[in-house]
Amino acid sequence: MKIAIIGCTHAGIAAIKQILKYYPESEITVYERHAEISYLSCGTYLHLGGSVKNLDDVLYADPEDFIKQGVTMKMEHDVIRIDADEHTILAQDLKTKELVHDTYDKLIMATGSITAIPAITGVENTKVMLCKTCDQAHELYAAAQKCHQVTIIGGGYAGVELAEGYIKSGHQVTLIQRGPQILDEYTDPVIAKQIQNLLVKKGVKVLVNTTVTKLSDLSDEKLEITTTNGTYNSDMAVICPGVIPQSDLLNGQINLAKNGAIITDPYMGTSDPDIFAAGDNTEVHYNPTLSSAYIPLASHAVRQGTLAGINVLDKRLKSIGTQATTGMLLFDTTVACTGLTLAKAKAAHFEAGSAFYQGNYRPDFMPTTAKITIELVYDKNSRKILGAQLISDHEVSQSANTLSVVIQNENTIDELAFMDMLFSPNFDEPFNYLNLAAQVAVDQEGGYWRSN
Ligand SMILES: Cc1cc2nc3c(=O)[nH]c(=O)nc-3n(C[C@H](O)[C@H](O)[C@H](O)COP(=O)(O)OP(=O)(O)OC[C@H]3O[C@@H](n4cnc5c(N)ncnc54)[C@H](O)[C@@H]3O)c2cc1C
């Protein structure tokens, strides 16, 4: 069997590993536009902030290792056409410009996403940069050495993390967000405000309810940023908007969602039985709403790529869906989220409520402790947990993972209130803070549901 994989970042690499394990007799050919594989985009802010000394250290896979295992790695090859009926691929060698014709029995599309460039006048200015690929990370780092004022456009995860990176490298940072709060995909206003306050305390100028309308040269060195809330000068700007799925090669040949994401079955198969897809170019099955959603994350890409590799010759393992759990360490504060925010739960027509728990994560008699804030989102009718957001100077990311499982298993606030959690004064109170957050929700709903 001849298996072609297009795109070799997280989804593509995960697929190759499984094909080598489960189908060692198959012939694998990989097409990748870039010279390197496996760049983790989060490495960019970590490098800017000094936590990662060398950008190459962020790469976790080497094409040579796959070549040694018999994989044909067509690096710096851009696939420009796929004929799904004929099972053919046309690619261009970006070094020699030569065209390469190939065929496949099975194809895995791991082409990911590209940055959705907003339609702002002057966005093509050379002082305006992007932050997804390894090449872009090198450019950002080089530019940062010559600049002092940095403006970040977009207050999602990437923008907030970059703001931290630039503050740590001694830059003057402005973060511009169109809507009323930062991180609006993952947090509700209370937690978002805490994060915004932290950024401001660390020196970031945060502008919400502000839309950038124009980017223009003020001088050779300075960029003028015109917004709905005034005009600002900056040495450079970084755009951190969302991404869009790269599926153009199969447009009109397989079923795509409205936004262009490839529609897959739980095995990562597409409407063409010989084409699989994984990663940022596909949708996920989002358990909180029991529907498909476009939520591009590396954690999704590795799981979907793994499934595509396992299932490519034998559909044997289904996806169990996702809660889209995320986390970040912002300065010394952990922010972790899973499932729906209250706003999104209401938009999805749940009769949703949210409960806040605030307290110290472990007893005050311990040498140190830290405040923890949890917002638990739940369905008032079924009492099932729909989502949660946690923020603390204590490490709470694994609690978001626990809540992810709670949502996956459709547990209720009543069950979470009593769910078995360890106790030791080193770690928590006799009732863990997740139990306590659920108990707040139970009290809000007038007490426990009878269990008989
Ligand atoms: C700044 C930033 C920080 C992030 N941080 C996190 C994080 O902390 N946690 C998290 O879970 N997610 C994070 N993400 C999201 C994560 O980076 C993506 O979800 C992930 O990269 C998706 O992997 P992928 O393999 O599906 O696609 P991509 O990373 O987009 O890779 C697709 C690959 O396909 C290749 N390709 C595409 N078309 C062709 C073609 N025609 N021919 C040849 N090759 C082609 C591309 O060159 C690329 O290498 C972050 C994203 C950004 C931008």
Side-chain angles (χ1 to χ4, degrees), residues 3 20 116 119-120 137 215 229 270 278 313 317 331 351 357 366 374 429:
I3 303 172
L20 286 169
I120 303 170
L215 297 153
N229 269 336
T270 69
L313 296 186
L317 187 64
F331 301 98
E351 199 186 322
Y357 171 77
M366 295 303 286
I374 303 172
E429 300 275 357

Side-chain angles (χ1 to χ4, degrees), residues 6-12 31-34 41-42 77-79 110-113 131-132 158 161 246 249 278-280 296-299 301:
I6 305 179
C8 194
T9 302
H10 312 306
Y31 289 90
E32 171 52 52
R33 210 178 255 160
H34 292 122
S41 305
C42 43
H77 278 67
D78 196 18
V79 173
T111 44
S113 59
C131 64
K132 186 168 192 291
E161 288 178 337
Q246 289 203 81
L249 290 167
D280 273 15
L297 287 171
S299 51

Side-chain angles (χ1 to χ4, degrees), residues 19-31:
I19 299 168
L20 286 169
K21 194 193 293 185
Y22 285 92
Y23 311 110
E25 305 301 317
S26 60
E27 192 185 312
I28 310 170
T29 306
V30 176
Y31 289 90

Side-chain angles (χ1 to χ4, degrees), residues 42-325:
C42 43
T44 306
Y45 83 88
L46 292 171
H47 182 49
L48 284 166
S51 305
V52 168
K53 295 288 166 241
N54 191 334
L55 268 180
D56 290 343
D57 294 345
V58 180
L59 303 174
Y60 61 84
D62 183 347
E64 287 303 322
D65 290 337
F66 289 131
I67 292 169
K68 280 184 202 146
Q69 295 175 76
V71 180
T72 303
M73 297 293 291
K74 295 208 176 280
M75 301 303 298
E76 293 181 79
H77 278 67
D78 196 18
V79 173
I80 48 182
R81 197 181 306 149
I82 297 168
D83 187 324
D85 287 338
E86 298 296 323
H87 287 55
T88 58
I89 289 172
L90 176 65
Q92 183 174 36
D93 182 333
L94 297 174
K95 296 177 299 273
T96 63
K97 307 292 172 213
E98 273 169 28
L99 292 179
V100 177
H101 295 266
D102 203 355
T103 59
Y104 65 84
D105 295 311
K106 298 282 180 183
L107 172 67
I108 297 179
M109 288 292 284
T111 44
S113 59
I114 46 168
T115 309
I117 312 272
I120 303 170
T121 309
V123 75
E124 68 287 352
N125 192 300
T126 52
K127 298 185 196 82
V128 180
M129 311 181 84
L130 302 176
C131 64
K132 186 168 192 291
T133 66
C134 191
D135 293 344
Q136 289 163 356
H138 280 289
E139 286 165 17
L140 276 181
Y141 188 76
Q145 310 313 307
K146 293 178 262 161
C147 295
H148 179 56
Q149 290 176 311
V150 182
T151 300
I152 296 163
I153 303 170
Y157 257 97
V160 168
E161 288 178 337
L162 267 187
E164 185 210 27
Y166 280 115
I167 285 290
K168 284 186 169 170
S169 55
H171 290 83
Q172 187 184 319
V173 184
T174 303
L175 178 67
I176 302 181
Q177 167 77 334
R178 195 201 322 241
Q181 69 161 78
I182 57 171
L183 289 166
D184 50 8
E185 285 291 315
Y186 296 96
T187 63
D188 285 307
V190 171
I191 304 275
K193 194 67 191 170
Q194 286 196 32
I195 301 166
Q196 183 175 333
N197 290 345
L198 173 65
L199 288 170
V200 171
K201 196 172 130 200
K202 296 290 180 181
V204 181
K205 181 173 183 176
V206 181
L207 303 172
V208 291
N209 287 316
T210 304
T211 303
V212 175
T213 52
K214 194 173 162 195
L215 297 153
S216 51
D217 280 328
L218 194 63
S219 66
D220 282 353
E221 287 81 33
K222 286 273 176 214
L223 186 68
E224 186 175 72
I225 301 177
T226 311
T227 78
T228 48
N229 269 336
T231 299
Y232 303 89
N233 297 340
S234 189
D235 297 329
M236 61 180 278
V238 191
I239 311 184
C240 300
V243 292
I244 40 178
Q246 289 203 81
S247 58
D248 299 3
L249 290 167
L250 289 171
N251 211 349
Q253 304 192 77
I254 59 169
N255 291 344
L256 304 178
K258 266 192 195 146
N259 70 343
I262 299 171
I263 296 174
T264 63
D265 62 22
Y267 302 94
M268 308 318 300
T270 69
S271 55
D272 180 318
D274 293 326
I275 301 179
F276 288 68
D280 273 15
N281 59 8
T282 65
E283 295 186 317
V284 291
H285 180 76
Y286 189 51
N287 291 322
T289 55
L290 298 175
S291 61
S292 297
Y294 185 64
I295 310 177
L297 287 171
S299 51
H300 293 162
V302 291
R303 293 202 292 268
Q304 292 182 323
T306 299
L307 285 172
I310 291 172
N311 292 322
V312 67
L313 296 186
D314 175 16
K315 285 190 170 179
R316 59 171 90 172
L317 187 64
K318 279 187 186 184
S319 162
I320 57 169
T322 177
Q323 286 67 247
T325 307

